[in-house]
Amino acid sequence: MLFSTMSFACMNVIVKHLSDVSSYQIVFFRSLSSLFFTFGFLIKNKIPIIGKNNFLLIMRSITGATSMLFFFMSVKYLSVGTAVSLRYIAPIFAAIFAGFLLRERVRPWQWVFFAISFIGVLVLKGLDTEINTYGLMLILMASVLSGLVYVIISKIGNSEHPVVIVNYFMVIATVMGGLLSIGNWVTPSGWEWLFLFSLGVFGYFGQVFMTKAFQTATTNVVAPIKYVEVIFTTILGITLFNEIYTFWSLLGISLIIGGMVLNVWYKSKFKR
């Protein structure tokens, strides 16, 4: 899980570095370079590329691609650590969607932990004068859509191979990013080409290491560690981009991550 968080943190700071490149292009290259791994895995293991639940797979992919686009756009307006922290409130929206669409029950203590995280959002918006309102709206929309992705994947269940789900996502995100880039193309130069193609590599291995972590150890042990991504990303943001985090931004981030970690820990008690 630590290797996973480091991979995702590297991907996050590369997105921040590519500030002159269109977010549509970033989605395109991040997805295109991942297809090399997903198609390769499916072909090597003779797994059918076309899934059984095509409607749900397409809906998951469109929703996920849009969420990814909003996240990449938000990084241009927010410090990268703040953007990643706010993206992690997605479980709140997932719980709301699951209640309506899947009739899943959220326990009272979970709402308490969600409230702690939401207070963190209010602290960031209300007390941190450095935060950009437009960037905040973008990352909140990304989190809402990410929460919907969780519910769609839950609806798909075990009927599809995980790589099939990811492959659909990458194909549709590549097409979406490519089409949107047509009128917004900025030709990369020099090292930007390498950075763009490395996004898919870091993203893919982040997913692989995360999957292996959940397969190897219990959820209550490894799930909270994924929030270390915020720490790694924040440190890289300070080191590479001289980002400044005020007391209020650090307090808000701590409340967001603290509430989410408590939620993961509490949920794991009922899965033993």
Side-chain angles (χ1 to χ4, degrees):
M1 185 59 83
L2 285 174
F3 278 121
S4 171
T5 58
M6 284 190 284
S7 294
F8 284 129
C10 288
M11 186 182 75
N12 296 333
V13 296
I14 289 173
V15 172
K16 183 71 173 181
H17 175 71
L18 295 169
S19 57
D20 296 329
V21 179
S22 164
S23 297
Y24 306 127
Q25 288 174 253
I26 295 176
V27 170
F28 173 72
F29 282 104
R30 185 260 183 267
S31 308
L32 179 65
S33 49
S34 288
L35 287 176
F36 172 81
F37 298 102
T38 57
F39 269 118
F41 181 90
L42 294 175
I43 293 171
K44 178 183 177 181
N45 293 279
K46 299 179 179 179
I47 300 172
I49 294 174
I50 303 299
K52 309 180 191 71
N53 304 280
N54 291 302
F55 175 76
L56 288 176
L57 288 168
I58 291 172
M59 289 303 298
R60 177 264 182 268
S61 301
I62 293 174
T63 306
T66 307
S67 174
M68 180 167 62
L69 173 62
F70 285 154
F71 170 66
F72 290 162
M73 291 172 67
S74 74
V75 171
K76 295 180 182 293
Y77 299 95
L78 301 172
S79 59
V80 67
T82 299
V84 173
S85 301
L86 288 166
R87 186 183 62 182
Y88 270 126
I89 65 172
I92 298 177
F93 302 111
I96 295 171
F97 285 129
F100 284 107
L101 301 176
L102 304 179
R103 302 301 179 187
E104 290 185 3
R105 175 171 169 260
V106 179
R107 302 177 194 281
W109 272 107
Q110 287 183 264
W111 290 117
V112 173
F113 301 142
F114 289 157
I116 292 173
S117 294
F118 190 70
I119 289 172
V121 177
L122 296 179
V123 168
L124 282 173
K125 175 54 187 158
L127 300 176
D128 184 4
T129 56
E130 299 296 321
I131 197 165
N132 181 281
T133 302
Y134 181 62
L136 178 63
M137 294 304 298
L138 286 170
I139 194 60
L140 288 177
M141 287 190 292
S143 298
V144 170
L145 292 173
S146 185
L148 184 56
V149 166
Y150 294 158
V151 175
I152 296 174
I153 291 176
S154 179
K155 186 71 174 177
I156 294 172
N158 296 320
S159 62
E160 301 285 357
H161 192 284
V163 180
V164 172
I165 299 175
V166 174
N167 191 63
Y168 262 79
F169 174 30
M170 292 296 102
V171 168
I172 288 181
T174 300
V175 173
M176 180 187 293
L179 290 174
L180 292 172
S181 296
I182 292 175
N184 301 276
W185 185 266
V186 177
T187 303
S189 60
W191 287 96
E192 288 181 340
W193 286 104
L194 178 62
F195 287 139
L196 283 167
F197 281 108
S198 70
L199 290 172
V201 178
F202 283 120
Y204 176 79
F205 281 106
Q207 291 285 349
V208 169
F209 287 133
M210 181 174 66
T211 302
K212 288 185 178 294
F214 280 113
Q215 290 174 332
T216 304
T218 56
T219 300
N220 63 309
V221 172
V222 297
I225 301 176
K226 72 179 180 179
Y227 294 102
V228 175
E229 177 188 347
V230 176
I231 298 174
F232 285 145
T233 303
T234 301
I235 292 173
L236 289 172
I238 294 171
T239 305
L240 300 176
F241 307 114
N242 296 317
E243 292 183 339
I244 298 174
Y245 292 84
T246 66
F247 167 78
W248 295 114
S249 63
L250 292 176
L251 177 61
I253 289 171
S254 299
L255 288 169
I256 291 169
I257 300 307
M260 291 297 100
V261 170
L262 286 170
N263 177 59
V264 170
W265 166 77
Y266 183 74
K267 283 176 63 178
S268 68
K269 294 172 61 177
F270 298 93
K271 294 181 179 180
R272 296 173 185 173

